[in-house]
Amino acid sequence: LMKMPFLLAKLEVYVNRGVLHIIKFLFMVLVIDHLMACLYCFIGTLDDDHINWITANGLEFASDYSKYVAAIYWSMSTMTTVGYGDIVPYSDMERIVTTALVMVMATLYAYFMGNINMMVASLNINSTRKSQQLDLIDTFLKKNEVPQSIGDRVRCGNKS
């Protein structure tokens, strides 16, 4: 994780900066989803005397991996506001933590989606700007009756 900024900086040479920002935001969503799932797994193990989300879903004897997968599923469906309702909190502590996590996750999800929408719009603006510039070049070339072979080289940016 600590090397991620360096990897992204190296990728900027090859990949559009807007696309890299979208990748970075998606990665952040996955990291936050992981942290929320870990917290939900931890909360489920605090009270072994009463029913909790782990025992209610028949996972008390399952591997830690299976519990984590269920928690990731819960976290992602909660963060994206889908909330299927098949994994729900049972103890008071689980309800308190879930309420807090739902508020945090919904806020983060809205923030991430707003930023991704802005980035995609920015990519579209750049694409539209390039199309407008090519249209201007085509108009200039036609108006000045520039030969087709030269016009093709101008459009492609070929200087040979």
Side-chain angles (χ1 to χ4, degrees):
L1 288 178
M2 300 303 286
K3 292 184 179 184
M4 194 67 166
F6 300 113
L7 293 174
L8 289 174
K10 287 182 180 181
L11 278 176
E12 279 185 0
V13 175
Y14 306 105
V15 181
N16 183 304
R17 184 175 283 221
V19 172
L20 280 179
H21 283 297
I22 291 171
I23 291 170
K24 183 171 73 171
F25 272 111
L26 291 176
F27 182 75
M28 287 172 52
V29 167
L30 292 175
V31 168
I32 290 170
D33 188 49
H34 163 75
L35 294 173
M36 297 300 167
C38 289
L39 180 60
Y40 204 60
C41 280
F42 175 70
I43 295 301
T45 62
L46 288 180
D47 191 8
D48 289 335
D49 296 334
H50 298 92
I51 191 168
N52 56 39
W53 77 267
I54 294 173
T55 57
N57 289 286
L59 297 171
E60 60 267 28
F61 301 111
S63 67
D64 288 341
Y65 176 76
S66 293
K67 293 174 189 171
Y68 175 75
V69 168
I72 279 283
Y73 163 77
W74 168 86
S75 178
M76 189 60 75
S77 64
T78 302
M79 183 187 307
T80 58
T81 67
V82 172
Y84 292 114
D86 51 350
I87 298 177
V88 296
Y90 282 88
S91 70
D92 289 339
M93 178 58 83
E94 288 176 355
R95 288 185 187 106
I96 291 168
V97 170
T98 298
T99 302
L101 289 179
V102 165
M103 291 184 338
V104 169
M105 292 164 82
T107 303
L108 288 172
Y109 183 73
Y111 172 75
F112 289 140
M113 289 302 108
N115 277 303
I116 287 175
N117 284 333
M118 284 185 355
M119 289 176 208
V120 168
S122 171
L123 291 173
N124 288 338
I125 288 171
N126 291 337
S127 176
T128 301
R129 187 177 302 139
K130 184 175 181 178
S131 292
Q132 288 172 341
Q133 289 171 346
L134 287 173
D135 288 343
L136 286 172
I137 289 170
D138 286 340
T139 302
F140 175 83
L141 295 173
K142 286 177 187 174
K143 183 177 179 182
N144 293 299
E145 299 177 358
V146 175
Q148 182 73 30
S149 61
I150 295 174
D152 290 343
R153 290 194 322 209
V154 168
R155 272 188 228 94
C156 294
N158 189 352
K159 296 179 182 181
S160 59

